[in-house]
């Protein structure tokens, strides 16, 4: 349930309640004598989460904005947790530069799969003793419009500190992969973008993300986190009802295991993909859409040893009520 209350001009309070239930049943989850032979057993597990949240969306005139929210979660397995966030923004007169920032906290419970599901195919073992992740993070940056908004660019710096980060590690003694908690981890970097609207039909946007990670106990980088990610999207809207877009996505290398776990740290190969998407609005309520992922059918692995899907085409119909 979600509701909005307009308490005053420019002041809106958003409130909501959530209830989520999860259940799991899986076979082939047992292990014999700590080795590679698995017995076929059945594991069932259930959990859930209740949550309530409130957010104040404030607008002071045309140049000062503030979003402030708080959320309370009561997890069936890990108990109550409260998180919050503050996000102010200011638009500078004359230049119209938007200065923005935020600071907040986070909570993430382990999934039932991480807690209870062993995977013999990849020699992976669950960990029922996992603890939930908690985090603190902040970001700050700017956005600059030019030529009456037809050109925009911006840069944001982000910094997150995570306690008990859930991570998949390899144990050279048992020769198995298993989930574990990293006591303290840090992730920081930048997100940059630039966009140009040439006219009402053609738009181009480029995004670039840098990421640095560190396990504070060892000083080493976290695995399976690409250091660079870039995308370039071209959007064509020949009519108000039809939109076609093409995206070139580049994902840089990351530190990872090799698949059999014999090498603890290798650099994965970078890869590039081309994706297409289109949609056509039949009327105000009905939209037909489709997309093609990995148009050139590139072979790539993420993480190392795990093949990702090749060419794929999808289509659907979206219906909304007024």
């Amino acid at each position: 349930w979600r509701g909005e209350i307009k308490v005053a001009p420019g002041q809106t309070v958003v409130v909501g309640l959530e209830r989520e239930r999860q259940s799991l049943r899986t076979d082939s989850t047992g292990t014999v004598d700590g080795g590679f032979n698995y017995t076929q057993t059945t594991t069932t597990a259930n959990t859930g989460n209740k949550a309530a949240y409130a957010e104040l969306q404030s607008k002071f005139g045309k140049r000062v904005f503030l979003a402030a929210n708080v959320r309370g979660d009561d997890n069936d397995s890990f108990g109550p947790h409260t998180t919050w966030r503050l996000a102010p923004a200011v638009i500078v007169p004359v230049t119209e530069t938007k200065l923005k920032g935020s600071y907040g906290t986070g909570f993430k419970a382990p999934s039932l799969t991480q807690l209870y599901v062993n995977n013999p195919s990849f020699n992976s073992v669950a960990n029922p003793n996992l603890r939930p992740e908690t985090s603190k993070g902040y970001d700050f940056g700017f956005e600059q419009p030019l030529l009456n908004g037809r050109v925009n660019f911006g840069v944001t710096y982000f910094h997150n500190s995570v306690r008990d980060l859930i991570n998949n590690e390899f144990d050279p003694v048992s020769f198995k992969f298993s989930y574990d908690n990293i006591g303290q981890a840090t992730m920081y970097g930048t997100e940059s973008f630039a966009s140009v609207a040439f006219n009402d039909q053609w738009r181009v946007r480029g995004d670039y993300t840098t990421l640095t990670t560190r396990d504070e106990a060892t000083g080493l980088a976290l695995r399976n986190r690409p250091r660079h990610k870039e995308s370039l999207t071209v959007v064509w809207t020949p009519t108000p009802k039809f939109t076609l877009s093409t995206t070139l996505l580049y994902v840089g290398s990351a530190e990872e295991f090799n698949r059999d776990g014999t090498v603890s740290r290798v650099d994965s190969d970078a890869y590039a993909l081309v994706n297409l998407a289109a949609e056509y609005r039949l009327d105000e309520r009905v939209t037909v859409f489709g997309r093609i992922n990995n148009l050139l059918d590139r072979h790539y692995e993420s993480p190392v040893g795990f093949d990702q899907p090749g060419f794929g085409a999808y289509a659907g119909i979206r219906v909304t009520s007024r």
Side-chain angles (χ1 to χ4, degrees):
W1 172 83
R2 181 181 184 274
E4 293 186 3
I5 307 170
K6 296 188 180 298
V7 295
Q11 307 296 314
T12 300
V13 175
V14 179
V15 292
L17 299 172
E18 295 178 1
R19 175 58 175 164
E20 180 183 17
R21 291 288 301 166
Q22 298 180 21
S23 61
L24 176 147
R25 182 185 185 279
T26 183
D27 296 324
S28 299
T29 60
T31 181
V32 176
D33 298 329
F36 296 101
N37 299 316
Y38 284 78
T39 60
Q40 182 167 339
T41 61
T42 298
T43 296
T44 59
N46 296 276
T47 190
N49 193 80
K50 298 184 291 290
Y53 62 87
E55 179 179 80
L56 173 64
Q57 300 174 352
S58 296
K59 180 180 179 181
F60 303 96
K62 297 181 178 180
R63 297 188 176 275
V64 180
F65 308 87
L66 174 67
N69 58 58
V70 62
R71 177 185 174 99
D73 287 274
D74 187 5
N75 188 275
D76 293 355
S77 302
F78 299 99
H81 291 266
T82 300
T83 54
W84 56 272
R85 181 174 179 264
L86 292 173
V90 177
I91 298 178
V92 179
V94 183
T95 64
E96 299 301 313
T97 306
K98 177 186 284 188
L99 304 177
K100 59 181 182 177
S102 72
Y103 185 92
T105 61
F107 160 75
K108 180 183 177 182
S111 69
L112 292 178
T113 298
Q114 293 168 334
L115 290 167
Y116 303 115
V117 178
N118 297 326
N119 192 331
S121 300
F122 300 110
N123 208 33
S124 177
V125 181
N127 182 358
N129 298 315
L130 285 175
R131 299 180 298 275
E133 297 178 2
T134 57
S135 63
K136 297 179 181 179
Y138 65 87
D139 62 71
F140 58 87
F142 75 92
E143 295 181 12
Q144 180 63 60
L146 298 172
L147 302 178
N148 294 321
R150 288 194 172 274
V151 176
N152 289 272
F153 64 91
V155 179
T156 298
Y157 174 84
F158 62 89
H159 187 286
N160 296 310
S161 179
V162 185
R163 182 175 296 277
D164 291 327
L165 176 71
I166 299 171
N167 197 52
N168 197 7
E169 286 290 340
F170 178 74
D171 184 354
V173 178
S174 65
F175 211 68
K176 288 184 174 65
F177 292 94
S178 181
Y179 291 100
D180 201 358
N181 290 107
I182 293 178
Q184 191 75 33
T186 302
M187 293 165 275
Y188 61 90
T190 60
E191 296 177 337
S192 308
F193 82 94
S195 64
V196 180
F198 296 102
N199 50 44
D200 293 338
Q201 294 184 345
W202 290 95
R203 303 191 307 275
V204 177
R205 176 179 171 118
D207 292 84
Y208 176 53
T209 300
T210 67
L211 177 64
T212 300
T213 63
R214 183 172 62 249
D215 180 339
E216 296 297 346
T218 64
L220 300 175
L222 301 175
R223 295 181 177 88
N224 200 26
R225 268 88 171 176
R227 305 178 186 94
H228 302 275
K229 185 176 180 180
E230 305 168 26
S231 67
L232 179 66
T233 300
V234 180
V235 180
W236 179 43
T237 309
T239 71
K241 291 187 175 182
F242 179 67
T243 300
L244 176 66
S245 65
T246 303
T247 299
L248 173 62
L249 174 65
Y250 172 84
V251 178
S253 63
E255 287 194 22
E256 297 179 3
F257 299 104
N258 66 339
R259 181 170 178 172
D260 60 13
T262 57
V263 180
S264 62
R265 289 188 176 267
V266 297
D267 276 348
S268 63
D269 292 331
Y271 60 89
L273 305 175
V274 177
N275 302 321
L276 300 179
E279 68 173 38
Y280 184 82
R281 285 194 302 112
L282 297 177
D283 55 37
E284 293 182 357
R285 297 181 56 193
V286 181
T287 301
V288 179
F289 64 89
R291 74 178 191 273
I292 296 177
N293 292 346
N294 197 356
L295 176 66
L296 303 180
D297 198 25
R298 296 296 190 190
H299 172 266
Y300 67 103
E301 299 176 350
S302 180
V304 172
F306 292 79
D307 284 340
Q308 297 303 305
F311 176 93
Y314 310 85
I317 298 176
R318 183 169 56 248
V319 180
T320 59
S321 60
R322 293 183 179 180

